[in-house]
Amino acid sequence: MNSHPIKNSLGIFPKSWSEEYAGRIPGNIPIWVGILSELTEFGIFFAAYFIAKFYYPDTFAQGPQSLHTSLGVTNTIVLLSSSYFMAKAMAFIRVDNKIKCERYLWFALSCGVLYLIIKTWEFHWNTLQGFSANTNEFFTVYYYMTFNHFIHVGWASCAILWVIFRLRRGAYSSTEHSGLEALAVYWHMIDLMWILIFPLLYVLR
Amino acid sequence: MKHSIKLEYYLAALIVITLLNTFLGEKFSSTTLVSILIAMTVTYKGFVVIDHFMELKGANKNLRFLMRLYFIIFPSLIIVSAFY
């Protein structure tokens, strides 16, 4: 493990943070730096939401009623399913079943693409109803959060394609699959952010 | 195989909770109780994904702590916002 270039300690963290003491790091350290950065970014969005809701309670109470709730629910189920497919892909690479691993990666990718299609339709539907980022404070926060999340799903879907390509080239096996696992934890992080976004924008009045 | 069946169980639970949350939001005006219920279910959903899909249960305890803390802080703010 110590010979792994990515997992080598930089000697700047407390010993209690090492894998030896704290436990295995799924994926690799760089992806977790990325994930924690993304969590900070979304954390700022959520803080902006709560501050705006404090100043404009009526706007935020009416906002969710203007949205297409069914599309939001469908996208939530699509993303939860994609996380499940990704977890299954990980389970199959661990037993060296690359065919089933690839199949579940395609399922996860399909969910990602379906999410993007549904979200694009939702943005179009909003436009037809006359809503835009300038409509009111709720819609400013709505577009700020959801479009950013949309971009994350977009590039993570491209990353799934890359991982499928690498899997086909024999880059992953039951003993070495840290690249695949790094994508999996990143994908779950995107799902986690939607788990928070959905009730804030579509459910709570 | 047992782990795989568990994944199916957790996916079903997550979908049911999502539908329940939507029902609560649609049928009841956001009372404090509804907001607390939704916040608690969001925390539960987050914990399930972190522990069982992301597989942080049994992995690095610091990363698991940070991820779970995130799903305590923001759902707590949902409860706080119910008192605005």
Side-chain angles (χ1 to χ4, degrees), chain A residues 16-17 21-26 32 39 42-43 46 50 53-54 69 73 76-77 80-81 83-84 87-88 94 185 188-189 191-193 195-196 198-200 203-205, chain B residues 3-4 7-8 11 14-15 18-19 21-22 25-26 30 35 38 42 45-46 49-50 52-56 59-63 66-67 70-71 74-75 77-78 81 84:
Chain A
S16 60
W17 273 78
Y21 286 85
R24 192 181 72 86
I25 293 174
W32 278 100
L39 290 180
F42 277 99
F46 297 137
F50 286 111
K53 192 175 181 182
F54 178 78
T69 311
V73 175
T76 307
I77 293 171
L80 289 172
S81 303
S83 257
Y84 162 77
K88 291 284 278 187
R94 288 200 183 99
V185 288
H188 294 310
M189 182 277 295
D191 181 32
L192 283 170
M193 291 305 96
I195 285 174
L196 270 167
F198 173 69
L200 294 183
V203 180
L204 292 166
R205 307 283 152 92
Chain B
H3 172 71
S4 193
L7 286 179
E8 269 101 53
L11 176 65
L14 290 169
I15 291 173
T18 300
L19 296 174
N21 275 355
T22 312
E26 288 286 309
S30 265
S35 296
I38 290 171
V42 167
K45 284 169 75 177
V49 173
I50 290 163
H52 303 287
F53 287 0
M54 221 173 197
E55 298 175 332
L56 280 178
N60 192 283
K61 63 181 181 185
N62 294 319
L63 291 175
L66 285 173
M67 296 299 295
Y70 202 86
F71 273 81
F74 289 105
L77 287 175
I78 291 176
S81 70
Y84 285 175

Side-chain angles (χ1 to χ4, degrees), chain A residues 17-185:
Chain A
W17 273 78
S18 67
E19 284 195 282
E20 189 185 352
Y21 286 85
R24 192 181 72 86
I25 293 174
N28 51 50
I29 291 175
I31 198 68
W32 278 100
V33 172
I35 287 172
L36 295 177
S37 304
E38 303 278 23
L39 290 180
T40 307
E41 181 191 7
F42 277 99
I44 293 168
F45 295 164
F46 297 137
Y49 167 91
F50 286 111
I51 292 168
K53 192 175 181 182
F54 178 78
Y55 284 104
Y56 307 97
D58 293 336
T59 309
F60 277 75
Q62 289 162 7
Q65 295 170 47
S66 312
L67 296 177
H68 201 312
T69 311
S70 309
L71 294 179
V73 175
T74 309
N75 258 346
T76 307
I77 293 171
V78 166
L79 275 188
L80 289 172
S81 303
S82 75
S83 257
Y84 162 77
F85 292 139
M86 193 58 86
K88 291 284 278 187
M90 282 306 304
F92 281 115
I93 196 65
R94 288 200 183 99
V95 291
D96 249 335
N97 191 336
K98 293 176 187 173
I99 294 171
K100 283 196 174 176
C101 175
E102 184 182 333
R103 186 182 303 163
Y104 278 99
L105 284 173
W106 280 113
F107 286 155
L109 176 64
S110 305
C111 286
V113 172
L114 184 60
Y115 170 92
L116 294 172
I117 292 169
I118 293 170
K119 202 79 210 150
T120 304
W121 169 250
E122 187 182 331
F123 287 147
H124 175 66
W125 186 85
N126 286 345
T127 307
L128 292 178
Q129 309 303 311
F131 300 127
S132 72
N134 297 322
T135 302
N136 58 35
E137 292 76 14
F138 173 82
F139 275 97
T140 304
V141 172
Y142 164 86
Y143 278 105
Y144 189 45
M145 261 192 215
T146 56
F147 190 70
N148 212 288
H149 189 266
F150 179 92
I151 291 169
H152 282 75
V153 175
W155 70 50
S157 298
C158 296
I160 296 179
L161 265 181
W162 171 247
V163 161
I164 291 172
F165 171 75
R166 297 253 304 147
L167 180 70
R168 284 187 167 187
R169 296 287 295 264
Y172 307 123
S173 65
S174 58
T175 50
E176 171 42 43
H177 48 261
S178 60
L180 174 56
E181 195 172 35
L183 170 73
V185 288

